[in-house]
Structures are given as structure tokens and as C-alpha cells.
Amino acid sequence: TYGAPLPGATVMLRGAYDLHGDAASRLLDLLPPLAVVPAGPRTRTALDLLSAEAARDEPGQDAVLARLLDLVLVIALRAWCTRPEAMPPAWYRALADPAIGEALRVLHEDPAHRWTVAALAAQAGMSRAAFAQRFAALVGRPPLGYLTDWRMTLAADLLRDTRHTVATVARQVGYQDPFAFSVAFKRARGHTPTAWRGTS
């Protein structure tokens, strides 16, 4: 949009994300093919800022637009996931639980850490047994099973999108032994890490 819009004119803003890989699939699984989220009090300010910034031509504009678009996307996703027709996956719903949400946060932020159920329970402020039971009930997987799934998701994308060695990818997702990583990856994805990279 150039200059001031005419009275009554409609301004359309379009943003696009190039999403691919296993981690992106987890995000897209939250949504139907088309999700319409009407603007509301929580989105209005962000949309106004985005519209105003798109009308400018100033240094740093791309960086500002990218951050504002991220903000609008997160607000829209949160709004969608609270709607009655939304069916977000169990892990997303579990984020709302204070204890289990905290455990998921640290697993997502530091998957390479040598997590144990006891360490996660301590993060959540629960006993080991109560934590393991609650985590499985809310997430649908035991804590370390979920961690393995998350590590394999990250590893699949690293193998596809980087030229890091298998040993480097293994370390980045919490495996010191590349052989143990390869066995776990093949069990999860049906291919060795090298074969997976070749099929991507």
C-alpha cells in the first residue's frame, strides 16, 4: 500500500511462511486446511502495527515486519486453539497444565540435556511417580518416550536441512554415541540417519 488509503478502502496484508520438515508438521497438525480467526481486541493492536509498518519504507523494515508477523501468527494460533471446533494435539493441551507445561517447556528448549523422569519431576515440583502418571495422562506418552519423539523430530530436520555429520546431529539431540542414535533413529523413522538424508 502506497500513501494513505482512500476512505472506506480495504487494506489486505499477506504473510507467508515456508514450513517444511517434521517440526513444522507438528505445528501444522494444530490447524485445519483453512483456519479463519476474526480480528479481536487481542489482535487489533498487532494488526494495526503490522499495517502501519507495511506502509513505510525505512531501514530495518524487513526485520520489524518479520517480528510483527510472528506476533500476529502466535496470537492467531492461540485464538484458534481455544475455539470449540479446534482439536489440538495432546501435547499442546498439556502446555496449559502448570506442572506438565513446565516440563514440556524445558524438554523443548533443551532436548540434548540428559533428562531423567526424576529431574523432570523436580522441574515440575512433583513427586516422580505423580509426575510420570500425570504426564502420561495429559500427553499420551511417558515423559522419556515423548523426549525421544521430540529428539527424533529435531534430528530428522537437522539431517534434512544441514550437512552436519551424523555424530554432530546425535550430540545436538542428546546422544553421545552415534551408534545408539542411529539405532533409535531407525526405530523411529524406519531409515538409518544416512538413508534418511538421502531420501529427503
Side-chain angles (χ1 to χ4, degrees), residues 55-80:
R56 291 189 174 95
D57 185 14
E58 298 177 1
Q61 181 184 34
D62 287 347
V64 174
L65 286 173
R67 298 316 178 276
L68 288 172
L69 187 59
D70 288 347
L71 176 63
V72 170
L73 176 65
V74 170
I75 292 170
L77 285 173
R78 286 195 314 200
W80 171 259

Side-chain angles (χ1 to χ4, degrees), residues 72-172:
V72 170
L73 176 65
V74 170
I75 292 170
L77 285 173
R78 286 195 314 200
W80 171 259
C81 288
T82 60
R83 295 174 71 161
E85 65 268 33
M87 294 294 293
W91 65 265
Y92 181 86
R93 294 191 304 271
L95 288 170
D97 181 89
I100 303 307
E102 175 62 15
L104 286 167
R105 185 188 63 75
V106 298
L107 287 178
H108 291 160
E109 287 181 0
D110 193 4
H113 185 78
R114 301 185 95 177
W115 292 110
T116 63
V117 175
L120 289 167
Q123 285 280 339
M126 299 175 70
S127 72
R128 185 183 183 282
F131 169 77
Q133 182 179 11
R134 184 163 183 78
F135 190 101
L138 293 178
V139 178
R141 296 289 318 271
L144 298 186
Y146 179 87
L147 173 59
T148 298
D149 288 348
W150 180 234
R151 285 173 168 173
M152 295 303 109
T153 294
L154 297 175
D157 286 351
L158 286 168
L159 290 165
R160 177 185 290 114
D161 298 337
T162 73
R163 300 312 307 163
H164 295 325
T165 65
V166 170
T168 299
V169 171
R171 282 193 301 277
Q172 288 182 343

Side-chain angles (χ1 to χ4, degrees), residues 11-16 50 54 69:
V11 177
M12 295 190 71
L13 300 173
R14 181 175 61 90
L50 185 61
L69 187 59

